[in-house]
Amino acid sequence: MGLGRQQIVFGVGNPNADLMFVGEAPGADEDIKGEPFVGRAGQLLTKIIEAIDMRREDVYIANLIKCRPPQNRNPEPDEVEQCEPFLLRQIDMIKPKVIVALGKFAAQALLRTTEPITKIRGREFTYRDAILIPTYHPAYLLRTPSAKRDVWEDMKRVRAILTGE
Ligand code: URA
C-alpha cells in the first residue's frame, strides 16, 4: 500500500448554505469516497448537524487540507499554506453566515492564532462576512465523549445565530 492519496477531497453540500463546517483533512474513508466526513467522525458530524434540526444536505462541509496526509498525520505548515487559498475561495463563494471550525487545525489556521482550541472555543469571532465558532473536532468527541456537552452549547449558539434569536 502506498502512502499516496487517491484523490482530492474538495467539499460537499449546499453551495448556498448559511452554515459551513471546516474540518482538518480527509482520512482513509474520505480519500476513497472523495467526500469529506464520511467515516466515523463524519457520522458523528451528521448527528451534530441533525441535533440542531438541520440536514447534512443543508450545510456545506469542507476541510482545511484537501488531500489525505500519509498515515493521517497532522497537517504540516506548508500543507496548510498550500491548501488554505482553496478553502478561502470556497468560503467566499458560499458566503455562509456561520462557519464552524472543527478542531485545532481549522480554528488556528482561519483565526491566524496559536492559541489552544480549549481557549478559543466557547467564543465567537467575526471572520470575513461570517461569524466563526470554533469547536471540538468530532474525532476528539469519539475519544472524549464528555466534551460533547461543550459542542452542544456551541451548536445551540449556531442555531440561535441562524434563526436570528
Ligand atoms: N476528519 C476531518 O477533519 N475531515 C474529514 O473529512 C474526515 C475526518
Side-chain angles (χ1 to χ4, degrees):
M1 198 179 80
L3 295 178
R5 60 178 165 84
Q6 301 295 318
Q7 56 186 321
I8 292 172
V9 180
F10 189 65
V12 69
N14 177 358
N16 297 311
D18 286 340
L19 175 57
M20 177 168 176
F21 289 86
V22 179
E24 181 179 318
D29 297 315
E30 291 75 21
D31 185 49
I32 291 168
K33 201 154 178 225
E35 182 177 327
F37 283 102
V38 292
R40 277 184 74 220
Q43 285 158 23
L44 181 53
L45 177 62
T46 301
K47 282 193 197 158
I48 291 169
I49 295 165
E50 288 168 355
I52 56 162
D53 304 318
M54 295 182 80
R55 294 166 309 164
R56 194 177 153 100
E57 309 85 82
D58 298 330
V59 308
Y60 195 85
I61 305 173
N63 283 307
L64 174 63
I65 302 292
K66 305 304 187 199
C67 295
R68 181 190 180 204
Q71 274 106 34
N72 295 345
R73 62 153 169 71
N74 289 338
E76 303 277 1
D78 67 310
E79 293 164 344
V80 174
E81 203 182 303
Q82 291 273 324
C83 287
E84 205 180 18
F86 295 101
L87 175 63
L88 300 187
R89 291 288 299 275
Q90 283 174 302
I91 293 173
D92 284 345
M93 281 189 292
I94 291 155
K95 296 190 182 25
K97 289 198 175 83
V98 178
I99 299 169
V100 176
L102 298 166
K104 159 186 160 151
F105 285 95
Q108 290 186 342
L110 290 173
L111 293 171
R112 301 256 179 280
T113 181
T114 53
E115 276 201 88
I117 184 74
T118 46
K119 287 263 165 56
I120 45 183
R121 89 138 279 282
R123 293 158 60 189
E124 52 191 77
F125 300 83
T126 304
Y127 182 82
R128 297 186 175 217
D129 293 326
I131 294 172
L132 189 149
I133 310 257
T135 196
Y136 296 129
H137 194 288
Y140 173 73
L141 298 182
L142 291 173
R143 299 190 299 270
T144 318
S146 58
K148 284 183 183 171
R149 189 181 309 165
D150 284 340
V151 174
W152 174 232
E153 291 304 318
D154 299 334
M155 291 306 296
K156 281 194 287 191
R157 182 67 195 130
V158 169
R159 181 169 59 188
I161 298 169
L162 290 174
T163 58
E165 277 166 28

